[in-house]
Amino acid sequence: MIAFAYTCLFVVGAWAPFVCMHWRVHGVVRPLHAVLTLFNAVNLMICLWENALFLHRVHIRKVYEGFRKKFGERTLPTPFLLFQDITLSQALSYKYWSVIWSTYSLLDPSYVSQTSFGFWIDTGNGVVTMLPTAMLTYGMTWDIPGLTPRALGVIGLVFNYQMLYGTVLYFANYCLNGYYKNTPASLVGVVICANTIWIAFPGAWMWACWSMVDTDSVALFR
């Protein structure tokens, strides 16, 4: 099965059951809940990839150097990682998914440097945002014992602000260092699209979390 299919299975598995259970518990499917929890499912997968960025940083640089010599910079290798046939053991391996960073580093070499902002903001995200992401997804359907909606809203505000702020700084770094130069417009578009997602959805979550703080309620979702 191709790697992209495994990513789809992961995202759907981390999202669809919560939408289904939300409907069973509250008798309604709210578009806001469905959209924001879908983003959380994608973000959870990216957190795992960010863990791979730290754990396999030496391997990432080695593969990147091989890609750079074979394909050059400001391009993507072929066949692209997500469209390769892989085994289940590869799909469950951090090492396999770490190559996504070797690939992206052809567009932005920050990720093969342990001294760069991009490396540390993303490896940090992989550690600190997994738990609050899961908490928000769970808390939109069920109450979390010992945690009021207002407290959950504060947690959501803080970590989504951190993601939005980190993305803005990362994209500023990408532009200021001119990594877009000599890059095909389609690939620059991929970078812009990815960064837009991690600005727009954390921003939407911040708006929703502020409502939770203001009302001490998750009625917006239920």
Side-chain angles (χ1 to χ4, degrees):
M1 189 159 61
I2 65 171
F4 182 68
Y6 282 108
T7 65
C8 291
L9 285 173
F10 179 91
V11 170
V12 171
W15 170 65
F18 289 97
V19 175
C20 180
M21 289 305 300
H22 191 274
W23 172 74
R24 293 189 64 181
V25 172
H26 300 288
V28 64
V29 174
R30 295 197 181 278
L32 181 66
H33 171 267
V35 170
L36 291 184
T37 52
L38 176 59
F39 169 74
N40 279 7
V42 175
N43 190 58
L44 187 61
M45 181 181 70
I46 300 302
C47 285
L48 295 173
W49 288 1
E50 288 166 338
N51 290 339
L53 172 62
F54 182 80
L55 294 171
H56 292 287
R57 56 196 181 278
V58 175
H59 177 69
I60 289 167
R61 183 167 187 84
K62 182 179 178 180
V63 174
Y64 160 75
E65 292 293 350
F67 282 164
R68 189 167 63 88
K69 290 176 182 177
K70 185 175 181 180
F71 300 103
E73 296 180 330
R74 308 300 186 262
T75 187
L76 294 179
T78 53
F80 184 55
L81 172 81
L82 292 178
F83 301 113
Q84 296 178 9
D85 277 313
I86 63 173
T87 64
L88 179 60
S89 62
Q90 286 176 303
L92 297 174
S93 165
Y94 266 143
K95 190 172 185 179
Y96 177 80
W97 296 109
S98 72
V99 178
I100 199 77
W101 300 106
S102 304
T103 301
Y104 187 77
S105 292
L106 294 172
L107 305 180
D108 178 355
S110 300
Y111 291 98
V112 290
S113 172
Q114 293 178 214
T115 62
S116 73
F117 175 80
F119 176 88
W120 283 109
I121 190 63
D122 276 2
T123 56
N125 277 344
V127 175
V128 303
T129 65
M130 285 185 71
L131 180 58
T133 295
M135 289 172 65
L136 274 183
T137 295
Y138 182 92
M140 297 307 98
T141 299
W142 299 281
D143 294 334
I144 300 176
L147 195 67
T148 65
R150 178 170 285 129
L152 182 61
V154 170
I155 292 170
L157 268 174
V158 170
F159 96 87
N160 277 288
Y161 172 76
Q162 177 260 320
M163 284 199 294
L164 187 154
Y165 175 72
T167 303
V168 169
L169 287 185
Y170 164 76
F171 190 65
N173 175 72
Y174 174 84
C175 293
L176 185 64
N177 285 291
Y179 293 138
Y180 59 87
K181 295 178 181 177
N182 301 317
T183 302
S186 59
L187 297 181
V188 175
V190 169
V191 175
I192 292 172
C193 181
N195 283 273
T196 299
I197 289 171
W198 263 266
I199 292 172
F201 282 93
W205 262 119
M206 288 174 64
W207 169 78
C209 288
W210 175 251
S211 174
M212 293 163 61
V213 172
D214 188 43
T215 64
D216 196 20
S217 167
V218 291
L220 185 66
F221 293 95
R222 299 180 184 178

